[in-house]
Amino acid sequence: MANQYRDASGKRLTDYPRPSVAVDTAVLTVPTGGGLSVLQVCDATDGDWRLPGTFVHEGERLASAALRSLSDKAGVTGLAPTQLHVFDDPARDDRGWVLSVAHLDVVPFAALSSLNPSQARLVSVDTATGMVHGHDDIVAFAVASLRASYAAAPDPRGLLAEPFTMSELRHVHEAVRGERLLPDSFRRAMLPLLVDTGSRAAAGPGKPATRYRRA
């Protein structure tokens, strides 16, 4: 048996106290006609609604744990969450010293349109509060990160299928940012970042609207 590692003080790694490691995922989307929303799951034991998350198993990678929690607890597969931030306040979780590696995924509503309502649901980010284990802080961080990315680029997370009209693009940005945007100002900011597809959308009376794709 190989000699176990010891540091300069003669201690082994197992001699130091260690936190439990969890992954928690904020999955954000914009339902049809709605505002920015987050995926919640119903805890099988306590019956409350929270972010999908789990403790990391021995020998398991963080990405695998995140996907496992989404599949097992939300019934959702095919997502690709990425690491968002590490929440390491020792007092953040009332179960004990739990370090959370938070993940984020931003997906079109169609990817979450068939949720089992007894298992998972979508709620507005404005009302997703009072969650256990510091999940409110994770949602707030995820929303702030997403909104920052939508400040200067046209739908960078692909919530809207291409091609789209300027009006459709503005509505998605309004949903993500949680505020009304001036149509003329928004158009001037976005046009240099879009490509005219040459197609038009007839959405009622008036001149057909130009359809764009991201440059």
Side-chain angles (χ1 to χ4, degrees), residues 39-43 47-50 73-76 112-123:
L39 174 68
Q40 288 184 326
V41 296
C42 184
D43 183 73
D48 63 300
W49 292 89
R50 59 183 72 175
K73 298 187 177 183
V76 175
L112 302 171
S113 60
S114 58
L115 297 176
N116 180 342
S118 67
Q119 180 182 24
R121 68 182 185 183
L122 293 172
V123 298

Side-chain angles (χ1 to χ4, degrees), residues 166 170 181-192:
M166 188 66 71
R170 178 169 51 83
L181 302 172
L182 296 176
D184 290 343
S185 298
F186 180 79
R187 180 183 181 84
R188 285 194 298 270
M190 292 295 113
L191 268 180

Side-chain angles (χ1 to χ4, degrees), residues 165 200-209:
T165 67
R200 300 291 182 270
K207 183 179 178 181

